[in-house]
Amino acid sequence: EENCIQNNEKVIIFSTFNILRKTFQKKLNFNSISSLLFTGELNVEERNKNLKIFKSNKEYNVLLINSNVGFIIDIIINNKLLFKIELKL
């Protein structure tokens, strides 16, 4: 079984609950895995900054997304569309 992090693959984790995202982030940090948040709690500038870092920085392989935020997001990395999803409130 391949390890996504060891292979520098991008991982996106959706969660409705803040406590679950924070628990994931703590567990990832404990295991020396850098992650970023992309939630409605962040302003647009912060979300855009985190998304840009996620797409371009190999050190950040995990993006934790609030599945309740209403927005359209495209994740394109290396000219490959990983997914396009529309989340509605």
Side-chain angles (χ1 to χ4, degrees):
E1 182 174 306
E2 293 181 354
N3 184 315
C4 294
I5 302 303
Q6 289 176 344
N7 291 334
N8 286 324
E9 295 177 24
K10 299 293 185 178
V11 177
I12 300 170
I13 300 172
F14 290 89
S15 172
T16 304
F17 304 104
N18 289 338
I19 189 74
L20 190 54
R21 280 190 309 279
K22 291 179 192 272
T23 301
F24 276 136
Q25 194 166 40
K26 284 180 185 177
K27 187 87 164 163
L28 292 165
N29 288 341
F30 180 78
N31 289 292
S32 301
I33 299 170
S34 299
S35 63
L36 295 160
L37 292 173
F38 193 89
T39 69
E41 297 167 347
L42 303 174
N43 63 41
V44 173
E45 184 178 303
E46 292 170 316
R47 286 196 306 256
N48 288 338
K49 177 184 166 193
N50 285 355
L51 187 56
K52 182 178 179 180
I53 291 168
F54 177 73
K55 290 166 116 179
S56 62
N57 190 325
K58 292 182 181 180
E59 292 181 29
Y60 290 89
N61 290 19
V62 180
L63 187 65
L64 301 162
I65 294 182
N66 180 343
S67 55
N68 285 335
V69 175
F71 56 85
I72 297 175
I73 181 171
D74 290 331
I75 304 289
I76 300 175
I77 299 170
N78 297 330
N79 297 324
K80 179 179 177 185
L81 178 65
L82 296 180
F83 74 89
K84 180 177 180 178
I85 188 166
E86 182 174 355
L87 303 171
K88 296 182 180 180
L89 295 175

